[in-house]
Amino acid sequence: MKESDPKKKAAALILGAGRVCQPAAQMLSSFGSSQWYKTLLGDDFEDQIHLDVIVGSLYLKDAEQTVEGIPNVTGIQLDVMDSVGLFKHVSQVDIVISLLPPSCHVIVANACIELKKHLVTASYVDSSMSNLNDKAKVAGITILGEMGLDPGIDHMMAMKMIDEAHMQKGKIKSFTSYCGGLPSPEAANNPLAYKFSWNPVGAIRAGRNPATYKNHGETVHIDGNNLYDSATKLRIPDFPAFALECLPNRNSLLYGDLYGIGSEASTIFRGTLRYEGFGEIMGTLSRIGLFDNEAHPILKNEERPTFRKFTFGLLKIDNADPNGALIGEEDITKRILTLGHCKDQRSATMTAKTIIFLGFFDQTEIPTSCQSAFDVACFRMEERLSYSSTEKDMVLLHHEVEIEFPDRQVTEKRRATLLEFGKTCDGKTTTSMALTVGIPAAVGALLLLANKVQTRGVLRPIIPEVYTPALDIIQAYGIKLIEKNE
């Protein structure tokens, strides 16, 4: 008679087969066959666990391409709007990870509540998800949101530092946090020193968001139209070779409340990292009018203008024959300065280089899909600022905390840094952004599967029950975090 399989069996469903899915699926599939799992379960580990992973996507082809070559992972076609199909597949697994657009999470969450299945997402916990807290508690399940990079690892690193300081009777005087997805230095090979691993629409729009932060007790508001111009130079102590700048990131004060330091910290700042010069160039492009969202008259016509003719209009170059004499970098630089879009020669020159690099003076016609200057800019940036198959991106996350210890009458500075690069294996490159979002989502699922997180309801990874084991596993899996005290 055949002996029963000693391995404990479980199943996970990942919804969404985008870039983030593959690292999550790979991590889940390796659970039980790799040494890092001991970090999760420790001495109470029951021999081994066999985890089957199902990846559901609206298109079967996408799911099958994502799971190709990953053991114990199956791709299926699944439309979350089809409640019968969704309920069928959720009912057959132990845990669900939703990597779908945020608007879909509530649909999935309600199915998980009804079927009493835990849910993990990498998206912000908005009001629609927060409102499910009581229902999730009644159902006895955990909905663990913000398990990505930002939000996600940023919360975990911050709360570890803050909680440790509070346990030592310290008071947080200053909290600053910086995070950026950037090209690795060798891939930052264009005038902007930037590339898009996703569609540029969201990233460019984010550059027009207003921002609020607290600096030495003073609340500072930055208007969205001035965000690029508010960029400040930054050097990170552990990586002095990086010439960086940071842009304020939306409302930093919310994090004072979330982290429980709103009343004690006189400085609370969260910023987005870019290589130095990015803000100057983007601010100038904005003033030229390249990010205007209104329908542009010249783009309404059936007869399509060339990029060159369109740019002539934005730069107010009065040339009856746009096909005539070539306009070079020097001419564009002078024009930008004459129009008052730039204060100095260097910024104007770098902007001129960017305009030429992006092909805004090409003689090709603008596609009919472009109805505004913003559309034209996004079209060109997606085309010219994308990664090649061999180029790698980079994620840099850095926290600095200043702590006062009244009992000892000393002030201490602590910092935590994550630097991760994209990885190439068998000719395929996985972005660092996908790794640092997908792996925490998978870790959240494993913690719930192993019953290491027993708090029910809608959670973020800001409690020790989540962030302590999560950070241990993330590092055991190969994402390194540097912590230093001064």
Side-chain angles (χ1 to χ4, degrees):
M1 191 171 173
K2 193 176 179 181
E3 288 185 12
S4 61
D5 189 345
K7 293 182 182 179
K8 181 185 173 186
K9 293 194 174 183
L13 172 64
I14 303 176
L15 297 171
R19 294 175 177 86
V20 172
C21 175
Q22 201 166 56
Q26 284 172 330
M27 183 179 199
L28 291 175
S29 77
S30 70
F31 184 63
S33 62
S34 300
Q35 286 301 306
W36 60 264
Y37 65 76
K38 290 179 181 175
T39 307
L40 170 63
L41 293 176
D43 295 335
D44 61 350
F45 182 63
E46 297 177 6
D47 197 13
Q48 282 194 320
I49 188 168
H50 178 89
L51 184 59
D52 287 320
V53 183
I54 301 154
V55 171
S57 176
L58 186 59
Y59 301 105
L60 179 61
K61 184 182 176 184
D62 291 345
E64 289 177 337
Q65 282 180 346
T66 296
V67 307
E68 188 179 351
I70 309 176
N72 307 322
V73 184
T74 310
I76 62 166
Q77 191 278 329
L78 176 57
D79 181 357
V80 295
M81 299 302 176
D82 169 18
S83 58
V84 174
L86 177 64
F87 272 66
K88 174 191 167 188
H89 288 289
V90 170
S91 69
Q92 295 170 353
V93 299
D94 301 280
I95 188 99
V96 179
I97 299 175
S98 178
L99 300 175
L100 296 166
S103 58
C104 298
H105 292 331
V106 172
I107 297 164
V108 178
N110 279 312
C112 288
I113 287 168
E114 192 162 331
L115 295 165
K116 295 182 169 54
K117 307 290 183 179
H118 299 305
L119 172 65
V120 178
T121 84
S123 303
Y124 284 103
V125 174
D126 61 15
S127 58
S128 65
M129 291 293 276
S130 295
N131 291 339
L132 297 176
N133 183 50
D134 291 341
K135 285 184 178 179
K137 284 181 177 178
V138 170
I141 70 160
T142 300
I143 296 174
L144 180 54
E146 305 190 6
M147 280 298 287
L149 169 70
D150 178 0
I153 298 176
D154 61 340
H155 287 330
M156 301 181 217
M157 289 167 60
M159 288 310 301
K160 181 174 184 282
M161 298 168 83
I162 290 166
D163 285 346
E164 283 176 355
H166 285 161
M167 284 168 61
Q168 295 161 0
K169 298 184 179 177
K171 177 185 172 186
I172 307 300
K173 184 180 177 183
S174 170
F175 173 81
T176 52
S177 171
Y178 312 94
C179 186
L182 298 159
S184 59
E186 75 278 9
N189 50 8
N190 63 65
L192 263 178
Y194 189 73
K195 288 183 178 175
F196 296 94
S197 53
W198 277 283
N199 189 304
V201 173
I204 297 172
R205 281 193 178 137
R208 311 296 292 278
N209 288 325
T212 304
Y213 59 93
K214 191 158 67 167
N215 183 40
H216 299 294
E218 180 189 350
T219 300
V220 181
H221 300 284
I222 305 291
D223 184 81
N225 292 326
N226 300 323
L227 189 75
Y228 287 127
D229 296 321
S230 71
T232 54
K233 291 181 182 180
L234 179 73
R235 295 294 179 272
I236 291 176
D238 297 307
F239 302 107
F242 286 132
L244 301 166
E245 66 183 32
C246 77
L247 300 154
N249 186 2
R250 303 205 186 196
N251 188 355
S252 298
L253 304 187
L254 297 174
Y255 289 80
D257 297 334
L258 188 64
Y259 296 163
I261 58 171
S263 60
E264 64 184 273
S266 59
T267 295
I268 300 171
F269 178 88
R270 278 173 44 93
T272 301
L273 293 176
R274 294 289 181 261
Y275 288 119
E276 200 174 286
F278 178 88
E280 285 179 341
I281 296 171
M282 292 293 278
T284 307
L285 293 177
S286 178
R287 284 186 288 277
I288 288 168
L290 273 164
F291 301 146
D292 290 353
N293 220 356
E294 301 79 25
H296 197 286
I298 198 173
L299 297 173
K300 289 180 180 177
N301 305 332
E302 282 188 30
E303 186 183 338
R304 305 303 293 169
T306 62
F307 288 97
R308 184 183 177 86
K309 185 176 181 181
F310 181 73
T311 309
F312 267 33
L314 291 179
L315 290 172
K316 297 180 173 57
I317 297 173
D318 186 17
N319 190 331
D321 180 14
N323 299 317
L326 287 174
I327 302 290
E329 181 186 306
E330 195 175 320
D331 302 307
I332 303 167
T333 301
K334 286 178 181 175
R335 194 70 196 144
I336 291 169
L337 288 167
T338 301
L339 292 170
H341 295 319
C342 239
K343 292 178 183 176
D344 61 83
Q345 177 85 23
R346 183 189 168 277
S347 296
T349 301
M350 290 309 296
T351 305
K353 287 180 185 292
T354 302
I355 286 171
I356 292 167
F357 177 83
L358 292 174
F360 285 118
F361 275 85
D362 286 3
Q363 296 282 35
T364 51
E365 288 185 0
I366 295 175
T368 54
S369 60
C370 297
Q371 295 295 307
S372 67
F374 180 79
D375 293 340
V376 175
C378 289
F379 177 81
R380 269 314 196 208
M381 286 183 169
E382 187 169 12
E383 199 174 49
R384 301 288 174 97
L385 296 177
S386 58
Y387 289 90
S388 74
S389 59
T390 57
E391 289 179 329
K392 295 176 183 177
D393 71 328
M394 175 182 93
V395 161
L396 182 54
L397 171 61
H398 181 72
H399 291 331
E400 293 185 2
V401 176
E402 202 170 318
I403 309 158
E404 287 180 332
F405 292 97
D407 295 350
R408 291 181 268 157
Q409 294 186 331
V410 295
T411 300
E412 192 175 293
K413 289 183 179 179
R414 298 179 184 177
R415 59 182 188 264
T417 310
L418 178 156
L419 176 64
E420 187 73 16
F421 292 92
K423 291 179 169 51
T424 302
C425 183
D426 299 327
K428 291 181 181 177
T429 300
T430 303
T431 66
S432 60
M433 188 62 73
L435 288 166
T436 52
V437 175
I439 288 168
V443 168
L446 292 172
L447 290 173
L448 288 164
L449 278 172
N451 207 27
K452 292 294 179 181
V453 175
Q454 297 181 10
T455 303
R456 300 300 175 233
V458 179
L459 306 182
R460 294 176 176 91
I462 58 174
I463 54 174
E465 184 186 12
V466 178
Y467 72 68
T468 299
L471 286 172
D472 287 344
I473 300 161
I474 286 166
Q475 292 193 81
Y477 197 67
I479 294 176
K480 299 300 179 192
L481 308 178
I482 302 167
E483 294 183 72
K484 291 194 177 177
N485 297 351
E486 287 180 9

